[in-house]
mmCIF file of all heavy atoms in Angstrom:
data_model
loop_
_atom_site.group_PDB
_atom_site.id
_atom_site.type_symbol
_atom_site.label_atom_id
_atom_site.label_comp_id
_atom_site.label_asym_id
_atom_site.label_seq_id
_atom_site.Cartn_x
_atom_site.Cartn_y
_atom_site.Cartn_z
ATOM 1 N N CYS A 103 125.779 111.593 126.861
ATOM 2 C CA CYS A 103 125.648 110.167 127.385
ATOM 3 C C CYS A 103 126.480 109.255 126.826
ATOM 4 O O CYS A 103 126.833 109.255 125.551
ATOM 5 C CB CYS A 103 124.166 109.733 127.238
ATOM 6 S SG CYS A 103 122.835 110.673 127.954
ATOM 7 N N TYR A 183 120.844 113.302 149.904
ATOM 8 C CA TYR A 183 120.324 114.188 148.918
ATOM 9 C C TYR A 183 118.755 114.277 148.750
ATOM 10 O O TYR A 183 118.303 115.451 148.463
ATOM 11 C CB TYR A 183 120.790 113.630 147.590
ATOM 12 C CG TYR A 183 120.600 114.510 146.346
ATOM 13 C CD1 TYR A 183 121.335 115.735 146.114
ATOM 14 C CD2 TYR A 183 119.597 114.224 145.392
ATOM 15 C CE1 TYR A 183 121.073 116.471 144.970
ATOM 16 C CE2 TYR A 183 119.447 114.913 144.201
ATOM 17 C CZ TYR A 183 120.186 116.169 144.132
ATOM 18 O OH TYR A 183 120.047 116.994 142.932
ATOM 19 N N PRO A 201 116.013 119.596 142.512
ATOM 20 C CA PRO A 201 117.172 118.708 142.000
ATOM 21 C C PRO A 201 117.192 118.691 140.473
ATOM 22 O O PRO A 201 116.240 118.699 139.907
ATOM 23 C CB PRO A 201 116.738 117.351 142.624
ATOM 24 C CG PRO A 201 115.302 117.372 142.674
ATOM 25 C CD PRO A 201 114.966 118.723 143.152
ATOM 26 N N SER A 202 118.421 118.637 140.062
ATOM 27 C CA SER A 202 118.673 118.492 138.541
ATOM 28 C C SER A 202 118.398 117.086 138.180
ATOM 29 O O SER A 202 118.292 116.122 139.146
ATOM 30 C CB SER A 202 120.105 118.871 138.247
ATOM 31 O OG SER A 202 120.320 120.288 138.606
ATOM 32 N N LEU A 203 118.369 116.829 137.061
ATOM 33 C CA LEU A 203 118.135 115.373 136.430
ATOM 34 C C LEU A 203 119.416 114.616 136.914
ATOM 35 O O LEU A 203 120.420 115.010 136.742
ATOM 36 C CB LEU A 203 118.067 115.354 134.872
ATOM 37 C CG LEU A 203 116.672 115.885 134.356
ATOM 38 C CD1 LEU A 203 116.770 115.694 132.836
ATOM 39 C CD2 LEU A 203 115.490 115.025 134.865
ATOM 40 N N SER A 204 119.089 113.415 137.310
ATOM 41 C CA SER A 204 120.227 112.410 137.634
ATOM 42 C C SER A 204 120.789 111.918 136.282
ATOM 43 O O SER A 204 120.136 112.099 135.222
ATOM 44 C CB SER A 204 119.691 111.258 138.488
ATOM 45 O OG SER A 204 118.740 110.496 137.650
ATOM 46 N N ARG A 205 122.000 111.325 136.483
ATOM 47 C CA ARG A 205 122.381 110.686 135.133
ATOM 48 C C ARG A 205 121.603 109.566 134.644
ATOM 49 O O ARG A 205 121.460 109.542 133.369
ATOM 50 C CB ARG A 205 123.897 110.067 135.460
ATOM 51 C CG ARG A 205 124.532 109.419 134.315
ATOM 52 C CD ARG A 205 124.966 110.494 133.313
ATOM 53 N NE ARG A 205 125.807 111.391 133.648
ATOM 54 C CZ ARG A 205 126.332 112.600 133.059
ATOM 55 N NH1 ARG A 205 125.776 112.758 131.927
ATOM 56 N NH2 ARG A 205 127.093 113.416 133.532
ATOM 57 N N ALA A 206 120.984 108.849 135.504
ATOM 58 C CA ALA A 206 120.059 107.791 135.057
ATOM 59 C C ALA A 206 118.848 108.407 134.168
ATOM 60 O O ALA A 206 118.328 107.841 133.250
ATOM 61 C CB ALA A 206 119.648 106.893 136.102
ATOM 62 N N GLU A 207 118.375 109.470 134.733
ATOM 63 C CA GLU A 207 117.277 110.189 134.116
ATOM 64 C C GLU A 207 117.611 110.876 132.899
ATOM 65 O O GLU A 207 116.804 110.795 131.777
ATOM 66 C CB GLU A 207 116.699 111.099 135.172
ATOM 67 C CG GLU A 207 115.937 110.640 136.339
ATOM 68 C CD GLU A 207 115.609 111.690 137.348
ATOM 69 O OE1 GLU A 207 116.363 112.619 137.410
ATOM 70 O OE2 GLU A 207 114.588 111.503 138.164
ATOM 71 N N HIS A 208 118.751 111.393 132.782
ATOM 72 C CA HIS A 208 119.224 112.028 131.631
ATOM 73 C C HIS A 208 119.686 111.028 130.500
ATOM 74 O O HIS A 208 119.552 111.337 129.304
ATOM 75 C CB HIS A 208 120.495 112.957 131.960
ATOM 76 C CG HIS A 208 120.903 113.764 130.700
ATOM 77 N ND1 HIS A 208 120.229 114.819 130.268
ATOM 78 C CD2 HIS A 208 122.108 113.591 130.000
ATOM 79 C CE1 HIS A 208 120.882 115.342 129.158
ATOM 80 N NE2 HIS A 208 122.028 114.619 128.947
ATOM 81 N N CYS A 209 120.176 109.818 130.988
ATOM 82 C CA CYS A 209 120.615 108.879 129.954
ATOM 83 C C CYS A 209 119.833 107.571 130.246
ATOM 84 O O CYS A 209 120.572 106.547 130.738
ATOM 85 C CB CYS A 209 122.170 108.631 130.055
ATOM 86 S SG CYS A 209 123.053 110.150 129.898
ATOM 87 N N PRO A 210 118.598 107.487 130.149
ATOM 88 C CA PRO A 210 117.861 106.228 130.559
ATOM 89 C C PRO A 210 118.293 104.951 129.849
ATOM 90 O O PRO A 210 118.185 103.926 130.290
ATOM 91 C CB PRO A 210 116.403 106.568 130.224
ATOM 92 C CG PRO A 210 116.474 107.663 129.139
ATOM 93 C CD PRO A 210 117.688 108.485 129.525
ATOM 94 N N HIS A 211 118.882 105.198 128.594
ATOM 95 C CA HIS A 211 119.360 103.874 127.969
ATOM 96 C C HIS A 211 120.572 103.318 128.520
ATOM 97 O O HIS A 211 120.819 102.027 128.137
ATOM 98 C CB HIS A 211 119.704 104.281 126.341
ATOM 99 C CG HIS A 211 120.784 105.294 126.261
ATOM 100 N ND1 HIS A 211 120.667 106.621 126.500
ATOM 101 C CD2 HIS A 211 122.100 105.148 125.931
ATOM 102 C CE1 HIS A 211 121.644 107.250 126.295
ATOM 103 N NE2 HIS A 211 122.594 106.318 126.019
ATOM 104 N N ILE A 212 121.187 103.938 129.343
ATOM 105 C CA ILE A 212 122.305 103.309 130.022
ATOM 106 C C ILE A 212 122.173 103.140 131.615
ATOM 107 O O ILE A 212 123.087 102.917 132.310
ATOM 108 C CB ILE A 212 123.690 103.969 129.762
ATOM 109 C CG1 ILE A 212 123.616 105.429 130.205
ATOM 110 C CG2 ILE A 212 124.129 103.932 128.273
ATOM 111 C CD1 ILE A 212 124.582 105.818 131.271
ATOM 112 N N ALA A 213 121.013 103.375 132.057
ATOM 113 C CA ALA A 213 120.553 103.336 133.502
ATOM 114 C C ALA A 213 121.010 102.161 134.148
ATOM 115 O O ALA A 213 121.750 102.194 135.324
ATOM 116 C CB ALA A 213 119.215 103.663 133.649
ATOM 117 N N TYR A 216 124.967 101.990 134.275
ATOM 118 C CA TYR A 216 125.387 102.986 135.196
ATOM 119 C C TYR A 216 125.164 102.516 136.620
ATOM 120 O O TYR A 216 126.071 102.690 137.554
ATOM 121 C CB TYR A 216 124.729 104.362 135.140
ATOM 122 C CG TYR A 216 125.202 105.362 135.984
ATOM 123 C CD1 TYR A 216 126.472 105.660 136.057
ATOM 124 C CD2 TYR A 216 124.320 106.208 136.703
ATOM 125 C CE1 TYR A 216 127.146 106.645 136.885
ATOM 126 C CE2 TYR A 216 124.740 107.236 137.510
ATOM 127 C CZ TYR A 216 126.139 107.479 137.677
ATOM 128 O OH TYR A 216 126.580 108.428 138.480
#
Side-chain angles (χ1 to χ4, degrees):
C103 297
Y183 187 73
S202 301
L203 287 177
S204 68
R205 179 65 63 188
E207 291 170 327
H208 184 70
C209 307
H211 62 282
I212 56 115
Y216 183 49

